[in-house]
């Protein structure tokens, strides 16, 4: 039987995530996921662990629906309120998308800049300012916050286990930063799913996830693997002309609540 075995939320793009036992799914995916982003102060361009591995060691969690908490070893935690949707707007960019996003203020900017060693700002995306998902894969009106391209990422536990066996050492699921982990399928069984339901929430699988260099970073220390693993192994059997793939991008078609342990039903 297929079941939801883990739920992960990443409140700030490229900062550490949090494991959840239950979570709501809203118009932008997992509620509170990738709703904040760190950007370069001058250009507004998004910053990630690709450039700044130190980001992996900064914790981010929601204290409630209106307050984010940032934490890091040796630093006093900082609470950041959600800024008003139409105030202190800053031009920011995520890949080829540009948008106006509310700035979280100087205290958050100074806290993050001191830790990361460069001038940066923290911005928030309200639902009203969310990006359109690429219509080559989605419907007009499908929206995403600050995730790279799609609202949700699913990985099968057996797929990670198979990859770890090929690499020859255990691998943390957090290297791949999924929202949903499903157990009970064959390795890479999720590649063939089209529609699925977990609880009352229905999802459409829209595109395999092309992987960048982040999985080569230890998700806790931010240290990069000298041997290029696990991407080096993935490239031997999960590559096509457009990149190396692991995991599947989803779009929610019905909102609701998810809980670890729920059965997963394949609809198509």
């Amino acid at each position: 039987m297929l079941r939801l075995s883990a739920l992960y939320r990443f409140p700030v793009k490229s900062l550490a995530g949090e494991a959840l036992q239950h979570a709501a799914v809203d118009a932008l995916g997992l509620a509170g996921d990738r709703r904040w982003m760190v950007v370069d102060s001058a250009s507004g361009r998004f910053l990630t662990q690709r450039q700044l591995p130190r980001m992996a060691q900064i914790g981010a969690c929601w204290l409630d629906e209106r307050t984010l908490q940032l934490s890091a070893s040796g630093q006093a935690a900082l609470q950041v309120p959600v800024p008003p949707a139409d105030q202190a707007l800053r031009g920011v960019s995520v890949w080829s998308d540009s948008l106006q996003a509310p700035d979280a203020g100087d205290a958050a900017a100074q806290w993050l800049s001191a830790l990361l060693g460069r001038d940066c700002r923290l911005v928030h995306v309200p639902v009203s300012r969310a990006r359109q998902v690429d219509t080559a894969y989605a419907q007009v009106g499908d929206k995403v916050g600050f995730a790279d391209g799609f609202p949700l990422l699913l990985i099968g536990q057996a797929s990670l286990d198979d990859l770890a066996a090929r690499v020859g050492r255990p691998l943390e699921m957090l290297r791949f930063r999924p929202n949903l982990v499903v157990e009970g399928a064959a390795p890479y069984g999720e590649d063939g799913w089209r529609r699925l339901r977990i609880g009352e929430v229905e999802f459409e699988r829209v595109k395999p996830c092309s992987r960048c260099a982040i999985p080569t970073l230890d998700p806790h220390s931010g240290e990069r693997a000298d041997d290029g693993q696990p991407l080096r192994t993935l490239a031997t059997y999960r590559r096509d002309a457009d990149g190396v793939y692991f995991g599947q991008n989803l779009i929610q078609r019905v909102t609701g609540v998810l809980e670890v342990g729920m059965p997963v039903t394949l609809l198509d």
Side-chain angles (χ1 to χ4, degrees), residues 25 27 29 132-134 137-139 141-144 149-153 194 196 201-207 248-254:
V25 176
Q132 168 66 46
V133 181
D134 186 346
Y137 304 98
Q139 301 172 10
D142 289 336
K143 299 291 186 176
V144 64
F150 298 91
L152 295 142
L153 176 64
R194 294 182 60 186
L196 59 145
V201 187
E202 294 185 7
F203 304 91
E204 180 182 354
R205 183 190 67 84
V206 291
K207 183 183 180 297
Q248 296 291 332
N249 291 299
L250 307 180
I251 296 175
Q252 70 284 356
R253 292 299 175 214
V254 177

Side-chain angles (χ1 to χ4, degrees), residues 35-201:
R35 305 301 166 90
W36 303 82
M37 181 170 70
V38 184
V39 301
D40 178 79
S41 294
S43 68
R45 184 73 174 167
F46 74 112
L47 299 174
T48 78
Q49 294 178 30
R50 302 172 187 88
Q51 310 109 308
L52 300 170
R54 177 77 169 92
M55 294 178 78
Q57 296 178 286
I58 301 177
C61 67
W62 287 97
L63 296 182
D64 54 47
E65 293 183 354
R66 302 296 303 172
T67 310
L68 175 77
Q69 179 166 283
L70 299 174
S71 60
S73 178
Q75 297 289 326
L78 180 71
Q79 295 183 13
V80 185
V82 172
D86 297 311
Q87 295 182 23
L89 297 179
R90 177 176 294 270
V92 301
S93 59
V94 187
W95 299 113
S96 61
D97 291 337
S98 297
L99 65 152
Q100 295 288 313
D103 188 286
D106 290 342
Q110 292 165 7
W111 193 94
L112 287 162
S113 296
L115 278 171
L116 297 175
R118 65 182 291 170
D119 289 338
C120 55
R121 307 291 299 188
L122 181 67
V123 296
H124 176 260
V125 59
V127 173
S128 61
R129 295 187 174 276
R131 301 142 60 210
Q132 168 66 46
V133 181
D134 186 346
T135 54
Y137 304 98
Q139 301 172 10
V140 174
D142 289 336
K143 299 291 186 176
V144 64
F146 288 136
D148 277 354
F150 298 91
L152 295 142
L153 176 64
L154 179 149
I155 295 177
Q157 182 62 50
S159 304
L160 181 72
D161 295 343
D162 177 80
L163 174 58
R166 293 170 186 257
V167 172
R169 62 173 182 259
L171 295 171
E172 307 92 336
M173 183 63 80
L174 281 174
R175 285 181 180 269
F176 296 94
R177 301 176 70 83
N179 300 111
L180 314 178
V181 181
V182 172
E183 66 178 20
Y188 317 105
E190 60 270 24
D191 292 358
W193 302 348
R194 294 182 60 186
R195 294 188 305 122
L196 59 145
R197 183 173 60 237
I198 307 174
E200 297 180 352
V201 187

